Amino acid sequence: MSTRSAFFILVILFFTSATAEAQAPAQPATFEARVEEFLRQSGQEYHKVKANSWYLLVNGKEMGQIRIILGAGPGSIAMGAVVVPKQKLQLSTEALQKLMKLSYDLNYVRVCIDSDDDLIVMAQLKDPWLNASEFRTTINLVAAAADRTYAVMKPYLQ
């Protein structure tokens, strides 16, 4: 290959990459800004609580309105909902066995008891795999898991 041909190839590659960069959509500057954009794109009603913290209101079948809480760290998001507050939760061996079986059935969402002793469902998303579609899917998974968990626990509520 001649020097002249190599030069023209480099010039073409340079202008092609410069054009592609100019056409690429701008990414929000911070992870928090990306999460805010995902929230806007989700179509759900949401409220900011403080920096890196929001909640969504989603309609459920069993629970009525489900409050999904979001917290963003430097490179991940925790998304969860309180299904039953500890004051209403009456745990027995039978109830715990049903929760363990439910936890086995649920994909990408876990059922657990938080540090306040509330029964919650939650999912975690890491930044490298996070996009608007995955964000919306996770909202739906958390809401469905909260609704299903509430239905299973109804007989055990005080």
Side-chain angles (χ1 to χ4, degrees):
M1 181 184 306
S2 72
T3 306
R4 189 176 207 176
S5 297
F7 175 75
F8 283 123
I9 290 172
L10 286 173
V11 169
I12 290 170
L13 288 173
F14 173 77
F15 284 113
T16 305
S17 67
T19 305
E21 287 177 15
Q23 294 173 350
Q27 287 285 336
T30 65
F31 187 59
E32 180 178 8
R34 285 186 58 214
V35 173
E36 290 256 348
E37 183 58 30
F38 294 149
L39 284 164
R40 277 191 285 282
Q41 293 175 13
S42 75
Q44 301 290 340
E45 176 185 344
Y46 71 92
H47 305 275
K48 188 167 188 165
V49 178
K50 59 183 180 181
N52 295 314
S53 182
W54 307 263
Y55 71 90
L56 300 164
L57 299 173
V58 179
N59 291 323
K61 295 176 184 173
E62 296 290 330
M63 291 182 67
Q65 196 169 57
I66 302 167
R67 183 182 177 127
I68 298 177
I69 302 163
L70 277 80
S76 66
I77 297 174
M79 191 182 299
V82 174
V83 178
V84 181
K86 80 175 183 180
Q87 300 87 343
K88 294 184 178 185
L89 189 60
Q90 190 171 24
L91 293 176
S92 64
T93 304
E94 182 182 350
L96 289 171
Q97 184 177 20
K98 287 188 185 238
L99 283 174
M100 294 301 291
K101 286 182 178 183
L102 176 63
S103 185
Y104 175 78
D105 287 343
L106 295 174
N107 291 317
Y108 307 107
V109 179
R110 61 184 178 199
V111 178
C112 49
I113 295 176
D114 69 6
S115 60
D116 294 329
D117 292 329
D118 298 325
L119 178 64
I120 67 169
V121 295
M122 70 178 295
Q124 291 178 290
L125 299 162
K126 297 253 184 209
D127 184 26
W129 302 285
L130 190 57
N131 59 43
S133 176
E134 185 71 21
F135 188 83
R136 281 190 304 272
T137 298
T138 304
I139 290 170
N140 293 332
L141 286 171
V142 169
D147 233 20
R148 189 169 166 197
T149 303
Y150 184 79
V152 166
M153 291 307 296
K154 248 184 189 177
Y156 306 100
L157 301 181
Q158 294 183 16

